[in-house]
């Protein structure tokens, strides 16, 4: 499954390295992390990672294959 | 000053850490507030309500200031406050509760000598939690328990257990959960009942006034519109505001700097932290990046990572500024969890590849300084398992892989060990892990390799700990393979080595000798060397307290109970087995061999008392214990108890089958063999094959008193009184036999006497048997004796001796019969002693009998032979003490068995 997670603000390159399995793009005051998510555990893991890095999740959705 | 001096425990906080590590004391202390801490009255007032509700929730994102707020509030409370910072490893309920118990004890909310503590990482005894709740409930003033970073607890059973304790502690406990995520408690219920104080993210956000006060504490004054804009940009997030203050401090024009930040689109913490980091000296930056690999650090440890000597002043300064770090007790610090994560991302970028090396430097420092548990974690994180295994083995902690709160965690930690770890210690740990999993193939092979390397090498004093660890594994291997010589060799070698090792290490690791002695005792018991087994087992059973010795202690007690049982002391066996089971339950042990052993002894005793339903449920309770495989003693005991039970349920074929034990061993066990032979022989006799029955008894000797008297009973029933007499003579020579043996022997002699027409002698012998058996409530020998006994028991004075426990009638002893006042209690207590328990098959037959079916009809109905129906009938008659069909049906109905 492919997902995208939109977080508030422009995330620095350094911090995006904490998501090596995801690609990212910065746009209009948001950073979009996107890529393949292995399973639910991974998905929740990504959310916890956002939380522990102080990132504010605005939106998360599954992408069409 | 050495690092260990700094961490000397407070005088007020003496006692041992539940997992034996002073490093972790810092988890029980309130974090100190920095000088720039902003006290927020409105939130403190809200928190004061927490004293009126059982549950308080402080819920907000990382960096919202939850921890310091609650710490500030708790520091001003008159009631005792137990503080626990939860860590990821605490998810296993046993570990979590061990820390909670310790936190309560440390703050004085629990008496130091209060009983019990969890000993099994995976679970906690319900009784233990109930006792804790009752203790708290009895308090005049509530104890406050703060669980910081509760979001790290994800196990649902922990939430359930907390809920249980909270509910039953009544006014005696106030629970405060500080967490980033919603806890899995039924919050709606607490909310509806007005029993919940909630402080959530919105309330934690700073107001513009508070933000202004905070900025002033950092020496910044902004016009109010600027402060409001900053609050809006950071959404009142405490960490964001603090970081902006720190970042602005470093710039020449703070106000403009903040204005630019407000206008930007960067993520707040990420951007500001990078900015603040930029403003530090290169040394401070380097220090902060490197310590991000650690949970906690002191200046000395930080120096070990930077390879410099400047950590002490740098840390003091960083703490004073409140930049990133929090101060714990005794000069230990930790990074704020949010900043730690971000700093790690910076470390990976700026110093790529250095992380493993930092873990290893930390591991070496921790090991040098005596923090073995943390040394192991860091060593494993750095990928150097030789280092981790070496720390474990040299500390004599190898026993902790098998018992105690750390066992799960350690096994998991070493599960990551690859083939590249090749030291002697790594071999030992690998073999220990395999043996703990009962993977004998790998365990024994690994052990052989370790033995060769350790004992073929020349004598070196630094090998003593590894060699002693090796003897523990040898003793375990000997136990699992039923190989006495190997166990004795290991014990002899251990005896030598124990003298070469410092007392301090041995005292800290009592579980090692306790395990060793229990394994040795188990092998000796397997071989039927009862006295020598007892010597070793008593050392295991008497091991000093503490969670790590609970498992070997209960195992040793279970083995001792079995030894009593096998020598005909059912009452003694029962007491010891009960003690083993209840200690195991209190400590939350699941059904591993030790606690299982206790239950199986109880089941065997219950069979002897003909409490068959109880025996069945006890055996069922132990059925699922996985570690039973490959452990000869419990396996044989289970076969013994289960096959005797089946025999009494008239499932003779199944009994003969269940008597066989399937664990391959080097040496056969005389008692296991003897009991199996007796059960199979009894099954043959019941099936009308007396010759085969007698042949099977050849393996039974007088050294196994309980099976010898049962064998003698079969011999006399099969018409071989002389052989029976010889066997009884051998039992008498043994001399250690208990009441069960005396009862059995007297019954055999009584029958022989009756057969030769010496009825008076038979009566006297029966009277003696009844007196001995009554005390122990041993009903089985009489009920299985055969029909000859019934006419004798029907006559006085034997009838009176048997009434109330063996035969229906008034209870033994004195006092008026029931219904005449007097001692109703004593009567009601003796009633369950007379239970007649019919097997399912017997009931099936009797039910059809009640419908006036013939024997042939019943046989056809149940798809069995006519002879089988007769066998069931006979045994039902025997149990019901009747001789006719009509009486059997009536009696069974009276007793509620139909």
């Amino acid at each position: 499954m492919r997902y995208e997670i939109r977080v508030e603000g422009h995330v620095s390159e350094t911090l995006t390295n904490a998501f090596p399995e995801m690609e990212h793009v910065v746009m209009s005051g948001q950073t979009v992390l996107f890529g393949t998510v292995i399973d639910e555990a991974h998905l929740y893991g990504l959310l916890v990672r956002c939380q522990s890095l102080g990132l504010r999740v605005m939106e998360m959705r599954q992408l069409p294959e | 000053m050495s690092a260990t001096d700094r961490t000397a425990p407070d005088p007020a906080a003496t006692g041992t850490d539940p997992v034996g590590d002073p490093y972790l004391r810092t988890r029980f202390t309130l974090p100190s507030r920095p000088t720039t801490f902003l006290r927020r009255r409105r939130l403190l007032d809200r928190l004061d309500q927490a004293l009126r509700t059982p549950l308080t929730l402080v819920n907000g994102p990382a960096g919202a200031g939850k921890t310091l707020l609650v710490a500030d509030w708790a520091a001003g409370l008159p009631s005792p406050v137990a503080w626990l910072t939860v860590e990821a490893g605490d998810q296993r309920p046993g570990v979590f509760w061990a820390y909670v118990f310790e936190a309560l004890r440390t703050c004085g909310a629990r008496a130091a000598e209060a009983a019990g503590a969890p000993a099994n990482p995976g679970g906690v005894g319900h009784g233990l939690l109930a006792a804790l709740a009752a203790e708290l409930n009895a308090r005049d003033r509530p104890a406050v328990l703060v669980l910081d970073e509760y979001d790290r607890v994800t196990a649902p059973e922990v939430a359930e257990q907390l809920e249980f304790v909270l509910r039953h502690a009544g006014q005696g406990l106030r629970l405060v959960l500080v967490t980033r995520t919603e806890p899995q408690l039924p919050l709606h219920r607490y909310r509806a009942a007005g029993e919940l104080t909630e402080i959530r993210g919105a309330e934690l956000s700073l107001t513009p006034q508070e933000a202004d006060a905070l900025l002033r504490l950092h020496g910044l004054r902004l016009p109010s519109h600027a402060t409001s804009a900053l609050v809006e940009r950071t959404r009142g997030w405490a960490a964001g505001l603090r970081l902006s203050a720190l970042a602005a401090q470093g710039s020449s024009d703070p106000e403009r700097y903040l204005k630019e930040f407000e206008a930007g689109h960067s993520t707040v913490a990420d951007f500001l932290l990078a900015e603040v980091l930029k403003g530090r000296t290169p040394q401070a930056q380097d220090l902060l990046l490197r310590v991000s690999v650690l949970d906690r650090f002191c200046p000395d440890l930080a120096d070990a990572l930077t390879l410099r000597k400047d950590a002490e002043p740098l840390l003091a300064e960083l703490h004073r500024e409140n930049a990133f770090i929090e101060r714990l007790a005794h000069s230990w610090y930790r990074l704020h969890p949010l900043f730690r994560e971000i700093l790690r991302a910076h470390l990976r970028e700026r110093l790529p590849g250095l992380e493993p090396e930092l873990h290893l430097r930390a591991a070496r420092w921790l090991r040098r300084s005596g923090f073995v548990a943390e040394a192991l974690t860091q060593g494993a994180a750095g990928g150097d398992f030789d280092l981790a295994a070496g720390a474990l083995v040299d500390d004599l902690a190898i026993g902790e892989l098998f018992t105690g709160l750390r066992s799960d965690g350690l096994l998991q930690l070493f599960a990551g060990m690859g083939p590249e770890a090749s030291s002697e210690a790594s071999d030992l740990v690998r073999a220990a892990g395999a043996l703990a999993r009962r993977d004998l193939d790998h365990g024994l092979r690994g052990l052989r390799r370790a033995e060769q390397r350790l004992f073929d090498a020349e004598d070196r004093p630094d090998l003593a700990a590894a060699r002693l660890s090796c003897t523990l594994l040898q003793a375990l291997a000997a136990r699992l393979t039923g190989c006495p010589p190997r166990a004795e060799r290991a014990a002899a070698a251990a005896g030598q080595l124990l003298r070469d090792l410092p007392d301090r290490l041995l005292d800290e690791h009592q579980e090692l000798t306790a395990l060793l002695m229990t394994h040795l005792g188990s092998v000796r018991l397997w071989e039927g060397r009862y006295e020598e087994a007892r010597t070793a087992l008593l050392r295991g059973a008497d091991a000093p307290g503490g969670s790590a010795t609970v498992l070997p202690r209960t195992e040793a007690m279970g083995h001792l109970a079995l030894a009593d049982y096998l020598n005909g002391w059912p009452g003694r066996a029962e007491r010891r087995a009960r003690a083993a089971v209840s200690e195991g339950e209190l400590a939350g042990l699941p059904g591993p061999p030790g606690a299982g052993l206790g239950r199986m002894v109880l089941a065997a005793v219950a069979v002897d008392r003909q409490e068959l339903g109880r025996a069945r449920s006890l055996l069922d309770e132990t059925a699922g214990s996985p570690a039973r495989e490959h452990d000869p003693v419990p396996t044989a005991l289970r076969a013994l108890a289960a096959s005797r039970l089946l025999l009494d349920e008239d499932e003779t074929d199944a009994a003969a089958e269940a008597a066989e034990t399937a664990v391959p061993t080097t040496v056969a066990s005389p008692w296991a063999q003897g009991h199996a032979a007796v059960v199979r022989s009894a099954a043959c006799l019941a099936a009308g094959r007396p010759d085969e029955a007698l042949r099977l008894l050849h393996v039974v000797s007088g050294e196994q008193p309980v099976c010898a008297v049962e064998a003698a009973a079969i011999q006399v029933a099969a018409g071989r009184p002389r052989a029976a007499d010889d066997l009884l003579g051998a039992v008498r020579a043994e001399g250690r036999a208990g009441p069960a043996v005396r009862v059995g022997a007297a019954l055999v002699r009584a029958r022989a006497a009756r057969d030769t027409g010496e009825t008076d002698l038979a009566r006297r012998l029966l009277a003696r048997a009844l007196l001995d058996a009554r005390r122990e409530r041993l009903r089985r020998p009489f009920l299985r004796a055969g029909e000859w006994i019934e006419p004798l028991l029907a006559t006085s004075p034997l009838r009176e001796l048997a009434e109330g426990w063996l035969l229906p009638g008034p209870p033994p002893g004195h006092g008026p019969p029931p219904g005449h006042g007097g001692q109703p209690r004593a009567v009601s207590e003796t009633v369950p002693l007379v239970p007649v328990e019919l097997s399912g098959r017997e009931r099936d037959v009797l039910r059809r009998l009640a419908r006036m079916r013939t024997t042939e009809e019943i046989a056809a109905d149940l798809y069995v032979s006519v002879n089988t129906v007769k066998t069931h009938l006979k045994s039902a008659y025997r149990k019901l003490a009747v001789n006719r069909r009509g009486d059997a049906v009536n009696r069974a109905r009276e007793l509620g068995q139909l």
Side-chain angles (χ1 to χ4, degrees):
Chain A
M1 0 178 236
R2 289 176 59 78
Y3 271 87
E4 71 166 42
I5 302 176
R6 282 170 185 265
V7 299
E8 190 180 53
H10 297 173
V11 179
S12 71
E13 283 299 316
T14 308
L15 218 55
T16 54
N17 289 340
F19 298 89
E21 72 273 50
M22 307 291 274
E23 292 176 70
H24 68 277
V25 55
V26 173
M27 53 200 276
S28 61
Q30 287 185 343
T31 306
V32 185
L33 299 163
F34 60 97
T36 303
V37 171
I38 303 160
D39 53 15
E40 281 223 345
H42 185 196
L43 190 63
Y44 284 101
L46 286 169
L47 283 178
V48 169
R49 218 179 304 164
C50 286
Q51 189 186 36
S52 68
L53 290 166
L55 298 176
R56 197 182 158 89
V57 175
M58 309 296 288
E59 187 187 339
M60 177 176 79
R61 62 189 187 104
Q62 190 168 3
L63 300 172
E65 290 300 319
Chain B
M1 189 164 63
S2 83
T4 35
D5 285 341
R6 287 191 195 109
T7 57
D10 288 339
T14 48
T16 50
D17 184 273
V19 297
D21 199 333
Y23 175 87
L24 298 168
R25 281 241 151 262
T26 49
R27 295 178 50 189
F28 303 128
T29 22
L30 296 185
S32 65
R33 274 74 62 209
T35 43
T36 51
F37 174 74
L38 174 71
R39 177 165 291 167
R40 293 196 276 166
R41 200 62 252 173
R42 65 180 171 103
L43 292 177
L44 290 177
D45 290 344
R46 292 276 284 112
L47 270 173
D48 280 336
Q49 293 169 17
L51 289 176
R52 290 194 288 274
T53 58
L55 181 61
T56 297
L57 194 61
V58 181
N59 211 345
K66 304 180 291 293
T67 300
L68 291 183
L69 167 69
V70 176
D72 186 44
W73 170 73
L77 285 183
S79 357
V81 178
W83 183 281
L84 173 64
T85 306
V86 179
E87 289 193 351
D90 304 347
Q91 292 196 21
R92 286 152 303 166
V95 179
F96 173 83
W97 282 102
Y99 280 119
V100 170
F101 275 65
E102 186 59 14
L104 287 166
R105 206 196 56 73
T106 301
C107 77
R110 284 194 90 207
E113 68 283 0
N120 165 49
V124 60
H126 189 75
L128 197 57
L129 295 182
L132 173 68
E135 193 186 315
L136 290 167
N137 199 359
R139 293 181 56 85
D140 304 333
R141 222 171 36 192
V144 177
L145 171 62
V146 181
L147 299 176
D148 190 20
E149 302 192 27
Y150 181 76
D151 44 278
R152 289 178 176 171
V153 174
T154 51
E157 59 264 48
V158 168
E160 276 166 34
Q161 289 157 351
L162 262 181
E163 155 89 359
F164 170 83
V165 170
L166 190 59
R167 184 177 304 284
H168 291 88
Q171 302 292 311
L173 177 66
R174 296 291 176 251
L175 178 64
V176 180
L177 299 180
V178 182
T179 171
R180 287 181 193 176
T181 53
E182 189 101 344
Q184 299 300 308
L185 290 165
L187 296 178
H188 57 280
R189 234 180 23 230
Y190 286 95
R191 213 174 275 136
E195 290 176 340
L196 175 66
T197 304
E198 273 177 290
I199 299 180
R200 305 188 73 101
E203 262 187 286
L204 286 167
S205 297
L206 276 82
T207 61
Q209 292 75 28
E210 285 168 338
D212 185 54
L214 181 71
L215 293 173
R216 278 165 198 263
L217 281 170
H218 286 84
L220 287 176
R221 276 163 186 276
L222 295 185
S224 66
H225 65 89
T227 312
S228 296
L230 194 59
V231 169
E232 198 165 312
R233 171 79 165 96
T234 57
R235 297 178 196 265
W237 187 36
L241 282 160
R242 211 167 283 143
L243 281 174
S244 18
L246 286 167
Q249 274 178 340
S251 87
S252 51
D253 185 353
E255 198 179 331
R256 222 188 74 201
Y257 176 88
L258 289 174
K259 218 179 180 72
E260 280 166 16
F261 164 65
E262 278 161 38
H265 285 295
S266 52
T267 44
V268 178
D270 172 22
F271 169 78
L272 287 173
L273 188 123
E275 290 288 289
V276 175
L277 202 56
K278 248 191 274 171
R280 308 288 122 186
T281 62
Q283 289 81 4
Q285 291 187 31
D286 186 57
L287 176 86
L288 285 167
L289 294 181
R290 285 169 190 245
V291 294
S292 72
V293 302
L294 296 170
D295 289 329
R296 285 180 216 77
F297 45 90
C298 65
D300 230 35
L301 175 53
D303 280 341
L305 296 193
T306 59
L307 306 176
R308 296 191 311 262
K309 283 280 159 216
D310 55 1
E312 189 153 7
L314 280 177
L315 287 172
E317 189 191 327
L318 287 166
H319 175 247
R320 206 164 35 246
E321 296 172 345
N322 188 28
F324 321 105
I325 73 170
E326 291 170 10
R327 191 173 159 185
L328 305 161
H330 325 300
S331 300
W332 283 80
Y333 298 89
R334 68 164 194 169
L335 287 172
H336 187 288
L338 170 67
F339 304 151
R340 180 181 167 196
E341 290 300 322
I342 300 176
L343 282 168
R344 266 177 104 135
H346 282 267
L347 171 71
R348 285 181 192 140
E349 188 180 65
R350 284 215 228 155
L351 300 165
L354 190 64
E355 238 182 311
E357 172 59 22
L358 291 174
H359 281 298
L360 293 183
R361 283 184 201 168
R364 284 190 287 267
W365 183 92
L366 289 160
R367 184 178 172 185
R368 228 177 20 245
S369 310
F371 302 120
V372 179
E374 282 63 38
L376 293 176
T377 317
Q378 293 294 333
D384 187 344
F385 282 94
D386 279 338
L387 188 152
L392 184 82
V393 168
D394 286 348
D395 192 52
L396 275 191
I398 196 155
E400 293 195 32
L401 288 168
F402 300 99
T403 174
L405 287 167
R406 293 212 307 218
S407 54
D408 274 13
L410 285 174
L411 287 172
Q412 212 176 340
L413 187 119
F414 282 109
M417 181 157 75
E420 75 288 347
S422 57
S423 68
E424 289 93 340
S426 294
D427 278 350
L428 281 173
V429 168
R430 215 175 271 130
L435 289 175
R437 290 193 305 276
R438 298 289 187 260
D439 173 358
L440 288 193
D441 274 358
H442 288 100
L444 295 176
R445 210 175 317 140
L447 180 57
R448 215 166 304 133
R449 193 168 46 234
E451 277 167 0
Q452 279 163 6
R453 292 178 66 180
L454 284 167
F455 288 94
D456 294 352
E458 56 189 279
D459 214 8
R460 290 197 339 243
D462 60 310
L463 283 182
R467 285 180 174 171
L468 183 62
S469 307
C470 189
T471 63
L472 171 67
L473 300 188
Q474 288 167 331
L476 174 58
R479 163 180 169 171
L480 298 180
T481 54
C483 181
R486 184 178 210 177
E488 297 300 336
R489 275 200 305 276
Q496 285 288 330
L497 290 160
L498 285 169
R499 259 166 265 151
D500 299 342
L501 285 157
D503 289 344
R504 182 191 60 81
L505 271 187
L506 293 170
D507 284 349
E508 276 173 19
H509 293 285
Q510 305 270 9
E511 76 281 351
L512 189 112
T513 23
L515 286 167
L516 189 74
M517 286 298 142
T518 304
H519 298 333
L520 178 65
S522 180
V523 185
R524 287 175 173 173
L525 183 60
W526 175 249
E527 213 193 1
R529 283 150 59 211
Y530 297 107
E531 282 318 307
E532 289 148 294
R534 217 185 296 271
T535 315
L537 290 169
L538 281 172
R539 285 190 62 191
D542 293 343
S547 59
T549 50
V550 173
L551 179 69
R553 232 179 11 242
T554 52
E555 279 204 354
M557 282 196 279
H559 279 86
L560 284 167
L562 174 57
D564 284 335
Y565 177 80
L566 291 174
N567 285 297
W569 298 91
R572 231 191 254 175
E574 183 186 43
R575 279 192 297 281
R576 256 205 252 259
R578 279 231 176 98
V581 169
S582 70
E583 180 163 2
E585 268 175 1
L586 207 55
L589 293 187
L597 209 56
R599 280 199 176 79
M600 289 178 214
V601 171
L602 291 178
V605 173
V607 171
D608 286 0
R609 294 184 174 155
Q610 294 292 286
E611 296 159 2
L612 301 187
R614 193 173 124 73
R616 173 60 62 206
S617 67
L618 279 162
L619 280 179
D620 288 348
E621 278 172 44
T622 59
S625 66
R628 195 165 41 76
E629 293 130 50
H630 292 294
D631 200 352
V633 170
T635 312
L637 172 57
R638 193 179 162 77
L640 181 161
S643 63
R644 287 163 68 90
L645 177 58
L646 285 166
L647 205 56
D648 292 353
E649 290 173 340
D650 290 315
E651 305 282 352
T652 43
D653 292 344
E657 202 175 305
E660 307 278 355
T661 52
V663 180
T665 54
T666 313
V667 166
S669 165
W671 56 266
Q673 240 177 2
H675 276 281
V678 166
V679 168
R680 286 208 302 274
S681 172
C684 281
L685 195 66
R689 300 197 301 273
D691 292 343
E692 197 184 339
L694 287 171
R695 207 169 39 245
L696 283 165
L697 294 178
H698 286 319
V699 295
V700 178
S701 82
E703 284 172 31
Q704 306 305 325
V706 169
C707 36
V709 294
E710 290 187 3
I714 294 176
Q715 284 169 336
V716 86
R720 300 286 167 86
R722 182 142 327 141
D725 202 48
D726 289 348
L727 202 48
L728 292 184
V731 171
R732 202 166 30 199
E734 276 297 303
R736 55 165 192 272
V741 177
R742 288 201 300 273
V743 169
L747 278 173
V748 172
R749 292 220 162 80
R751 174 159 195 189
R754 196 210 67 131
D755 289 351
T756 54
E758 299 167 83
T759 319
D760 281 350
L761 177 60
R763 281 224 177 85
R764 276 203 305 280
L765 285 163
L766 258 183
R768 201 192 300 161
L770 285 166
L771 280 170
D772 267 333
R774 191 164 68 179
R775 259 190 306 269
E776 300 272 353
R777 288 182 280 137
L778 282 175
R779 294 154 38 90
R780 188 176 194 265
F782 299 92
L783 295 176
R784 290 198 62 84
E787 284 157 0
W788 63 273
I789 205 169
E790 284 167 27
L792 286 172
L793 286 181
T795 59
S796 196
L798 298 181
R799 185 179 169 79
E800 287 72 28
L801 284 174
E803 270 179 348
W805 64 278
L806 182 60
L807 295 177
H814 33 271
H820 291 253
Q823 300 171 304
R825 243 189 92 86
V827 171
S828 69
E829 269 172 9
T830 52
V831 170
L833 299 185
V834 213
V836 173
E837 287 184 76
L838 295 176
S839 70
R841 240 10 185 177
E842 290 163 2
R843 237 173 268 166
D844 289 343
V845 171
L846 280 184
R847 245 178 243 132
R848 286 166 176 80
L849 211 57
R851 279 180 254 138
M852 309 302 281
R853 302 274 181 87
T854 65
T855 311
E856 285 75 14
E857 284 171 342
I858 297 173
D861 202 16
L862 295 175
Y863 301 102
V864 294
S865 73
V866 171
N867 273 337
T868 307
V869 173
K870 284 182 180 162
T871 313
H872 287 311
L873 270 180
K874 250 190 244 166
S875 114
Y877 287 2
R878 182 174 41 111
K879 290 183 183 173
L880 297 164
V882 294
N883 291 312
R884 286 206 313 262
R885 295 189 161 208
D887 292 349
V889 172
N890 290 339
R891 185 87 189 107
R893 279 189 179 139
E894 268 173 54
L895 295 170
Q897 295 273 316
L898 271 192

